[in-house]
Amino acid sequence: MDDIKANFIGGEWVAGHDAAPNVNPSDTSDIVGLYARGGSAEVDQAVAAAERAFAAWSRTTPQQRHDVLKTIGDEILTRRDELGRLLSREEGKTLAEGLGEVGRAGQIFLFFAGEALRSGGEVIASTRPGLGIEVTREALGVIGMITPWNFPIAIPAWKIAPALAYGNCVVLKPADLVPGCAHALAEIIARSGLPAGVFNLVMGPGSTVGQAMVDHPRIVAISFTGSVATGRRIAKACTASVPLKKVQLEMGGKNPLVVLDDADLDLAVECAVNGTFFSTGQRCTASSRLIVTAGIHDRFVAATARRLAALVVDHALKPATQIGPVVDEGQLQQDLSYVSLGQTEGAQLVCGGQVLNRDTAGFYLAPALFTEADNRMRIAREEIFGPVGVVIRVGDYDEALAVANDTEFGLSAGICTSSLKYASHFKRNAETGLVMVNTATAGIDYHVPFGGRKGSSYGAREQGRAAVEFYTTVKTAYTFAG
Ligand code: NDP
């Protein structure tokens, strides 16, 4: 049992009722570690510890909260190389991508260390004589966080950091597939000076640990990132529970990248390859629909296919690798089923889509590109979450915009054009939370709001100063001074 990585509850490392191996998707013979799995009993303990810690933590000074967050951010950045390797080993994104994600997580803690110092309110004149009004923000209480496998450190960071900055206590359940980074983050938090119980980690499957959190009457809010189906179930449960839970959901995307005739071809190909295939296409902001006007279509497809053929798909930790493996066997099978579905639906597979063998046994898939796709096809409507691009040919800008917006999702949208007129029109009319001009649909800054519309997101935005909306509640105080 000694080498099983434990849950972190009430300031103590607590064993689960069983443990699961964390398997490297680049090499399935490499076990990253054995991680404890909790259940509803551990969730109960964690919520009780968080509740006990809340009264004192929510009344700490901004300086105390700043200092803790800065300590956490500094250690993440100091240990960036080691944590980046762990991330790439457990999730399969390339080392460069893993290092980038860890750097982002560290910067997020530093950003919210600053935000902790900024807390304040407004003094507003009353419409009635003798009254004064103050509008302030208060912490919510115990917040449950349920995170996916595709950003194992950045997503926990962008939920935990604002929660702590504004005085809340936390119970985190990371994805069962990738508990390593969340556990390493818990170790860093454990020695940061944060009082016992303010942050708790309970690892294990969503169906047990996650469900117990969603059902727990003393968790006041749930922040979730993951699939649409799970997100919808969680929202339903949170709004049906007594008392009602505040809920925030970040879910899928089917993000369009529009390429117009007047685009810089090299730049457009770069945006498409980066946005669609980097991080093995496993990003909610991935550009899975490439909507291309007829005048540049054939040149764009030929140049993109050439780039894809030259990409190195291999073990995430090899220096030359540009695309790592798919995260696990289940996701690989899902990707392959969409590759075969696309052909059945009548799209043309220009390249890729086959399983690749490498020196180590992993889940390697050649990046796939479809052309002659129609926006009504399932490969153009459903989130594949793998290295699969779908090119849709359109006549002009107006058709491109209409196709871009014809989706149940609304996370990110991009356009490649040299026209100020079309770029400006697209920025105003894309029905998404993020819009990109001449840059990939994926790849975002850490200090500005993140989130989408329609079926992609629900509730307040995450990240940047917008995070205060979810992690605090507003109080309006009236004082009669005579
Ligand atoms: P899920 O929505 O199943 O998982 C996300 C998180 O929710 C995980 O921590 C999971 O736990 C947890 N969870 C699962 N069921 C419940 C439940 N009943 N109650 C509470 N929590 C629960 O997504 P997957 O990771 O399985 O990925 C499936 C698909 O979702 C992908 O193929 C992709 O399309 C999409 N996805 C989108 C992401 C995005 O950022 N938009 C991120 C990841 C996935 P656990 O995994 O431990 O069982």
Side-chain angles (χ1 to χ4, degrees):
M1 282 294 278
D2 272 351
D3 49 7
I4 294 178
K5 308 272 189 197
N7 294 307
F8 184 62
I9 299 174
E12 307 284 337
W13 295 100
V14 179
H17 52 75
D18 68 357
N22 181 353
V23 179
N24 180 348
S26 297
D27 176 1
T28 54
S29 70
D30 175 30
I31 304 301
V32 180
L34 275 177
Y35 289 79
R37 276 175 154 167
S40 58
E42 285 75 13
V43 170
D44 271 345
Q45 287 169 28
V47 174
E51 262 195 319
R52 281 194 299 276
F54 179 67
W57 177 247
S58 59
R59 283 171 176 72
T60 45
T61 63
Q63 188 67 52
Q64 281 170 286
R65 279 179 263 141
H66 165 276
D67 292 351
V68 165
L69 290 165
K70 180 163 185 319
T71 303
I72 297 168
D74 284 345
E75 182 171 341
I76 293 172
L77 292 176
T78 306
R79 292 174 53 204
R80 186 164 169 249
D81 288 357
E82 173 206 341
L83 294 169
R85 290 185 80 78
L86 169 65
L87 197 164
S88 296
R89 208 174 142 210
E90 74 170 346
E91 200 270 352
K93 62 182 68 173
T94 65
L95 185 55
E97 291 167 339
L99 293 173
E101 186 181 332
V102 171
R104 176 188 187 82
Q107 296 295 359
I108 287 168
F109 276 96
L110 297 185
F111 176 84
F112 283 104
E115 286 303 293
L117 293 171
R118 206 198 275 269
S119 28
E122 280 183 295
V123 175
I124 296 177
S126 172
T127 54
R128 290 173 284 162
L131 275 174
I133 303 174
E134 293 154 39
V135 181
T136 52
R137 288 184 177 272
E138 293 181 359
L140 299 177
V142 182
I143 302 187
M145 296 171 182
I146 300 174
T147 56
W149 46 261
N150 62 332
F151 285 92
I153 195 162
I155 294 180
W158 79 52
K159 296 184 191 298
I160 296 166
L164 300 183
Y166 301 123
N168 300 283
C169 294
V170 169
V171 180
L172 169 69
K173 191 213 86 69
D176 204 25
L177 210 50
V178 292
C181 285
H183 188 274
L185 188 54
E187 287 179 327
I188 292 170
I189 293 173
R191 52 175 168 263
S192 66
L194 191 74
V198 175
F199 170 81
N200 304 274
L201 172 76
V202 183
M203 298 175 284
S207 54
T208 52
V209 177
Q211 195 63 48
M213 287 166 60
V214 170
D215 292 341
H216 204 292
R218 293 194 308 283
I219 287 186
V220 297
I222 295 279
S223 180
F224 166 85
T225 304
S227 65
V228 175
T230 308
R232 280 185 179 275
R233 267 205 309 277
I234 288 177
K236 220 170 164 179
C238 287
T239 50
S241 74
V242 181
L244 282 160
K245 282 185 178 53
K246 196 169 181 179
V247 63
Q248 171 184 63
L249 311 173
E250 286 303 335
M251 301 171 287
K254 194 69 192 174
N255 310 291
L257 177 71
V258 169
V259 179
L260 296 186
D261 286 356
D262 66 8
D264 174 325
L265 181 64
D266 291 343
L267 180 65
V269 171
E270 199 46 49
C271 290
V273 170
N274 175 332
T276 312
F277 300 99
F278 285 7
S279 295
T280 322
Q282 297 174 153
R283 293 186 283 191
C284 48
T285 48
S287 353
S288 41
R289 291 184 299 146
L290 305 169
I291 300 166
V292 186
T293 48
I296 196 171
H297 178 276
D298 293 355
R299 285 178 292 138
F300 172 82
V301 168
T304 304
R306 271 199 305 278
R307 269 297 307 278
L308 294 185
L311 285 178
V312 178
V313 182
D314 207 333
H315 195 297
L317 293 176
K318 284 190 180 171
T321 298
Q322 291 166 295
I323 307 277
V326 169
V327 73
D328 73 349
E329 179 64 33
Q331 188 65 46
L332 179 64
Q333 290 309 323
Q334 177 171 309
D335 296 348
L336 289 170
S337 74
Y338 275 109
V339 169
S340 115
L341 174 69
Q343 291 164 292
T344 314
E345 287 184 305
Q348 267 183 31
L349 184 61
V350 174
C351 61
Q354 73 279 19
V355 170
L356 300 171
N357 291 316
R358 293 294 179 254
D359 293 345
T360 48
F363 309 110
Y364 300 107
L365 181 63
L369 188 68
F370 279 105
T371 57
E372 310 310 329
D374 184 297
N375 202 45
R376 286 165 297 192
M377 292 176 179
R378 281 181 57 201
I379 55 164
R381 302 207 78 80
E382 296 172 15
E383 187 176 45
I384 298 173
F385 226 61
V388 182
V390 174
V391 179
I392 301 167
R393 188 198 303 255
V394 289
D396 58 15
Y397 169 76
D398 290 336
E399 190 187 352
L401 178 65
V403 170
N405 284 335
D406 177 16
T407 167
E408 69 172 271
F409 296 106
L411 186 52
S412 184
I415 187 166
C416 290
T417 178
S418 54
S419 155
L420 181 60
K421 176 180 140 192
Y422 291 134
S424 305
H425 190 272
F426 191 77
K427 277 195 278 186
R428 277 198 309 277
N429 292 285
E431 295 167 357
T432 50
L434 305 166
V435 62
M436 311 289 191
V437 176
N438 291 326
T439 187
T441 57
I444 50 168
D445 277 13
Y446 65 83
H447 65 307
V448 287
F450 171 77
R453 300 188 197 176
K454 301 196 311 199
S456 290
S457 303
Y458 182 76
R461 287 278 187 273
E462 299 200 81
Q463 302 195 58
R465 298 193 65 195
V468 75
E469 288 300 332
F470 183 72
Y471 291 103
T472 61
T473 183
V474 171
K475 182 173 276 175
T476 310
Y478 292 80
T479 307
F480 181 64

